Amino acid sequence: MSKKVAVLLSGCGVYDGAEIYETVLTLLRLDEQGVKYQCIAPDIPQQEVVNHLSGEVEADAKRSVLQEAARLARGDILALDQAQEEDFDALILPGGFGVAKNFSDFATQGAKASVEPQVKAFTQAFVSAKKPIGLMCIAPALSAELIGPGVVCTIGRDAGVSGALTEMGALHKSADADEIVVDQQHLLVTTPAYMMATRLSEAKVGIFKLVDKVLELIK
């Protein structure tokens, strides 16, 4: 039976959506491994829109997470409220500040963050079904909320983020861009990606390892 992986996107663009390089590397590795995938995004507004040239927030701009994520998926995207866990064998979340802004309020609330209800319910459906999940970059900061307390994960070596992650109930392990952390009990694989990487080739190593391990964990 062919495997199929859900790739959950938080928009398009590192500062206000899904990290583009991380997303493309994830899709590339899935394709190289002969695995089908479906990009998915919630049909919700972005918390803010950032000019990626200047880095400034465009105060009056409004964009849809689903429509922006469709750019990454070349239009082949499924609205989250139409996605069902039973159609997939695993779930992967690329990083980008959209995870901390659109999927949650981690960007402003830190350890007191809550997760967008659709995102949380969809992810926890995979947890309940004992299907593997891959989180990269800033996404592991939500591990305790998405997976449960005591989950083991990494966001790299950022003391501030790892401290908030620990306060939320996760167990953090430091790692470099070319490494993954595997929580066998919770079927969770994490890698720092651009929380540590300074080059595309560095991010590639950890992301490819994450994808390969997620696929290995599929029963």
Side-chain angles (χ1 to χ4, degrees), residues 34-118:
V35 174
K36 295 180 181 179
Y37 58 80
Q38 176 64 61
C39 292
I40 301 167
D43 190 4
I44 58 175
Q46 288 188 188
Q47 183 194 54
E48 62 184 20
V49 177
V50 177
N51 181 323
H52 278 59
L53 182 60
S54 67
E56 296 177 352
V57 175
E58 298 180 353
D60 298 325
K62 296 181 180 180
R63 294 187 184 178
S64 157
V65 170
L66 180 61
Q67 289 181 18
E68 291 302 297
R71 295 174 180 270
L72 273 171
R74 294 175 60 87
D76 182 11
I77 196 159
L78 184 66
L80 181 54
D81 61 5
Q82 298 176 14
Q84 302 293 327
E85 162 271 317
E86 54 262 33
D87 295 330
F88 304 99
D89 300 293
L91 171 65
I92 296 177
L93 275 69
F97 279 105
V99 172
K101 295 177 178 179
N102 304 325
F103 281 1
S104 71
D105 54 6
F106 185 83
T108 57
Q109 299 302 312
K112 295 181 174 60
S114 58
V115 177
E116 199 281 330
Q118 291 182 81

Side-chain angles (χ1 to χ4, degrees), residues 1-191:
M1 182 178 67
S2 61
K3 300 173 183 177
K4 189 172 185 180
V5 174
V7 180
L8 189 56
L9 303 178
S10 58
C12 179
V14 60
Y15 299 128
D16 58 14
E19 214 293 324
I20 293 172
Y21 291 169
E22 292 174 2
T23 302
V24 173
L25 287 169
T26 297
L27 302 183
L28 172 62
R29 189 56 174 172
L30 289 168
D31 183 61
E32 287 182 343
Q33 297 289 55
V35 174
K36 295 180 181 179
Y37 58 80
Q38 176 64 61
C39 292
I40 301 167
D43 190 4
I44 58 175
Q46 288 188 188
Q47 183 194 54
E48 62 184 20
V49 177
V50 177
N51 181 323
H52 278 59
L53 182 60
S54 67
E56 296 177 352
V57 175
E58 298 180 353
D60 298 325
K62 296 181 180 180
R63 294 187 184 178
S64 157
V65 170
L66 180 61
Q67 289 181 18
E68 291 302 297
R71 295 174 180 270
L72 273 171
R74 294 175 60 87
D76 182 11
I77 196 159
L78 184 66
L80 181 54
D81 61 5
Q82 298 176 14
Q84 302 293 327
E85 162 271 317
E86 54 262 33
D87 295 330
F88 304 99
D89 300 293
L91 171 65
I92 296 177
L93 275 69
F97 279 105
V99 172
K101 295 177 178 179
N102 304 325
F103 281 1
S104 71
D105 54 6
F106 185 83
T108 57
Q109 299 302 312
K112 295 181 174 60
S114 58
V115 177
E116 199 281 330
Q118 291 182 81
V119 171
K120 187 168 185 175
F122 187 64
T123 305
Q124 291 190 333
F126 284 82
V127 176
S128 297
K130 300 188 183 306
K131 294 179 179 180
I133 296 172
L135 305 176
M136 64 188 70
C137 192
I138 192 65
L142 305 181
S143 292
E145 283 291 310
L146 293 174
I147 313 297
V151 66
V152 181
C153 59
T154 188
I155 51 84
R157 300 185 185 276
D158 186 300
V161 178
S162 63
L165 185 154
T166 301
E167 189 176 341
M168 293 169 74
L171 302 176
H172 182 262
K173 286 190 174 182
S174 295
D176 291 319
D178 62 349
E179 297 178 306
I180 60 173
V181 168
V182 182
D183 184 333
Q184 193 75 35
Q185 178 184 351
H186 294 96
L187 298 179
L188 176 67
V189 187
T190 56
T191 191

